[in-house]
Amino acid sequence: MQEKTVKNGGAPHWNLDPIYAGFDSPRYLDDKKRLETGTAELVRLAARGPEKGQNPGEWIASFIMSMNKAGDLLENLMSYAYTKFTTCTTDGQALKELAAMEEMAIPMKDAEVAFRNALAELGKTAADLAALRPDLASYRFFLEEELFLQKKQMTPAEENLAADLTRCGGDAWGRMQEAVSAILQADWDTTTGERKTVTQLRALAFDRDRAVRRKAYRLELEAWKTAETPLSYALNGVKGFSVILNKRRNFKSTLERSTIQARLTPKALESMIGAMEEFLPAFRGYLKTKAKILGIPVCAFYDLFAPVGKNPRQWDFAEARDFIVEQFGGFSAELANFASTAFNNGWIDAEPREGKVGGAYCISFPINEESRILCNFGGAFGDVSTIAHELGHGYHHEVLKKESAIHRNYPMTLAETASIFCESVILHGALKRMGTEERITALESFLQDATQVIVDILSRYYFENELCDRREKSELSPDELSDMMIKAQKATYGDALDPDQLHKYMWAVKSHYYRTDLAFYNFPYAFGQLFGLGLFSRFQTEGASFVPKYNALLRETGRANAADLAKTA
């Protein structure tokens, strides 16, 4: 069914027809066949290895070219199925296609395992391998990473089994969490029969009326309570699956694997966590000041997003669109033009509705050289900022759209660079043109987000650390998970939040915990926040001359680790 591009006062639904007209469209079916053929060629090349007397560089270059082609097809197809599923989690066909894509990806994983083994058998360094052919020079970082990961993989047969089991094991638990959270509801008004989803209840955290916020918070907790048993099984399943695989792959811990995936060193991560902990008193001071402004003794969890200005402005979607494009133009014409294209061509799905997942994301379609953005627009300035954030991801994709699949593979630490930068552009633009009350609202929105990225994400880091450690020994009950979450929130928010009004079910809310392929999803956001703000500070100093440097930096995000790229800035 074709998506409508505009609905309900201008909050749009996206248009996916330029990507594929449907799962049964000729283009979609043809790309699935091309992917099947491409993965078969990839497996053949990996299994064969360099032919006798052949320059190994020829074989490496052929494998990389095939890997890039298959990677583009898989990403395009997988992104389409995911966008269809997340806007309608009851879409059975979308769920089947996601499972089909995961199955089709298994040969690619098999090929990569074999490629790494064959690469290691050559007995050469990444520098030596990259020197075998001129066109391999740009892939030196990739080759270095592949040689390292070869030491962190199981036998080919074990890796094949793990990939196969992931589809119907770990990944299935994650899809269950998304489906449950998308349809979970509570009675809002028993006299009228009005019901609200947990996504709609969470959106009321921004309501001006504290009674409304409190009611939404309590109903949300009651709703999660009804689903705590299946979701606890799902979380135990995901983390148990990950813990076993990480041990088999010779990682010291799940955290070590996540640090490597983030392309950080343990020392860099330790330094960042230490800096976050050092500045907790400043964030607690902000929350205590906010409590005074709100006229309450101490903030509850449901006050974190409470507006503090008088009569905070409500934005409609058209106003948000015009404002974002205008402010992006203050940075560069390229950024403004990209945003205009996204708004005008139906790349954004903004209306909250039943069956649609909460939160926001940006996803790319490399073959079409387009992106799509999902958000749940409610009219607060924070929602405007969220669109800008996701457009930042989209602009990152735009800068990289001519790069190979391998060179578009950047880590989470660097994935937040462009998004945080774009948020900063919006905030500073807003502050220049707003009156006093609107400025208070905008600054408070920034502080809300910064508190989430530093304080709340630190609580999630503490929680997941304990979760992985304890899951290695036994399964955890809903009560144990909730107690761990409360303990983590108390450790970071301290006395700035009412200890009796915390959110014990945040482990059920956040889908990030339910990913087998990427644990500790959140700490890279802190890196991205600090790095993005640092880059914006450079722009404020250097002006237009910084724009080409910024674009060049984004182009390098798939070719370096986070620390090295940060040094260049």
Side-chain angles (χ1 to χ4, degrees), residues 270-557:
E270 183 181 348
S271 296
M272 185 180 73
I273 295 298
M276 293 165 71
E277 291 171 333
E278 180 184 352
F279 279 86
L280 286 177
F283 287 93
R284 291 170 183 169
Y286 148 66
L287 289 172
K288 290 175 183 179
T289 301
K290 179 169 183 171
K292 291 179 181 179
I293 295 172
L294 293 173
I296 55 179
V298 62
C299 285
F301 196 92
Y302 53 81
D303 295 316
L304 286 171
F305 302 106
V308 297
K310 296 178 182 177
N311 301 317
R313 176 182 176 183
Q314 284 296 111
W315 298 66
D316 66 34
F317 193 82
E319 290 175 325
R321 175 198 63 209
D322 294 345
F323 179 71
I324 289 170
V325 172
E326 178 187 350
Q327 298 310 313
F328 280 7
F331 174 70
S332 73
E334 299 100 313
L335 182 59
N337 290 338
F338 169 77
S340 293
T341 298
F343 283 117
N344 296 334
N345 292 359
W347 289 11
I348 301 174
D349 193 298
E351 185 201 24
R353 56 193 183 275
E354 185 176 346
K356 178 182 175 181
V357 298
Y361 70 75
C362 178
I363 201 164
S364 67
F365 295 89
I367 293 176
N368 303 77
E369 297 183 351
E370 294 181 3
S371 295
R372 291 296 185 272
I373 289 165
L374 179 143
C375 61
N376 286 275
F377 186 78
F381 180 76
D383 295 315
V384 181
S385 183
T386 294
I387 297 173
H389 179 104
E390 299 305 334
L391 283 169
H393 286 303
Y395 184 69
H396 198 164
H397 298 159
E398 181 74 6
V399 171
L400 291 171
K401 68 182 183 183
K402 299 298 183 183
E403 296 288 336
S404 66
I406 289 172
H407 287 151
R408 293 195 313 273
N409 181 30
Y410 46 79
M412 284 292 300
T413 37
L414 300 176
E416 295 305 311
T417 303
S419 54
I420 297 298
F421 189 94
C422 283
E423 278 191 50
S424 301
V425 170
I426 290 298
L427 174 64
H428 285 261
L431 294 178
K432 290 178 181 177
R433 63 184 285 176
M434 289 176 168
T436 301
E437 289 301 325
E438 279 192 285
R439 283 169 60 88
I440 291 173
T441 300
L443 283 170
E444 223 280 308
S445 177
F446 168 76
L447 289 170
Q448 286 177 12
D449 291 344
T451 301
Q452 289 297 295
V453 172
I454 302 300
V455 184
D456 204 74
I457 277 179
L458 187 58
S459 75
R460 301 178 212 178
Y461 175 80
Y462 290 159
F463 169 80
E464 197 159 2
N465 244 336
E466 184 175 0
L467 172 61
C468 291
D469 287 345
R470 293 180 61 177
R471 182 60 188 89
E472 192 172 346
K473 302 174 184 68
S474 66
E475 291 196 6
L476 297 158
S477 69
D479 285 345
E480 288 175 306
L481 293 169
S482 294
D483 288 345
M484 288 160 53
M485 181 56 73
I486 292 295
K487 183 174 75 171
Q489 290 172 356
K490 286 181 177 179
T492 58
Y493 286 104
D495 61 355
L497 285 188
D498 183 342
D500 297 322
Q501 302 289 331
L502 300 175
H503 198 309
K504 67 178 184 178
Y505 286 116
M506 198 52 66
W507 59 267
V509 175
K510 296 296 181 183
S511 61
H512 302 152
Y513 295 125
Y514 295 79
R515 291 188 60 167
T516 54
D517 62 324
L518 192 61
F520 290 93
Y521 185 99
N522 290 284
F523 73 73
Y525 278 80
F527 185 99
Q529 175 90 3
L530 300 173
F531 190 42
L533 290 173
L535 292 174
F536 185 76
S537 179
R538 277 197 61 185
F539 166 62
Q540 288 181 299
T541 301
E542 301 177 26
S545 65
F546 178 70
V547 174
K549 300 174 188 176
Y550 174 74
N551 289 336
L553 183 143
L554 292 182
R555 278 191 289 272
E556 291 298 310
T557 49

Side-chain angles (χ1 to χ4, degrees), residues 25 57 96 103 136 140 169 189 226 258-259 311 353 396 475 497 508:
S25 67
K96 288 179 182 178
E103 184 174 0
L136 291 179
R140 176 173 170 172
D189 189 330
T226 66
S258 297
T259 305
N311 301 317
R353 56 193 183 275
H396 198 164
E475 291 196 6
L497 285 188

Side-chain angles (χ1 to χ4, degrees), residues 162-182:
D164 217 5
L165 291 176
T166 297
R167 295 183 300 112
C168 56
D171 288 352
W173 289 122
R175 286 194 296 273
M176 175 182 167
Q177 188 274 341
E178 287 184 326
V180 169
S181 62

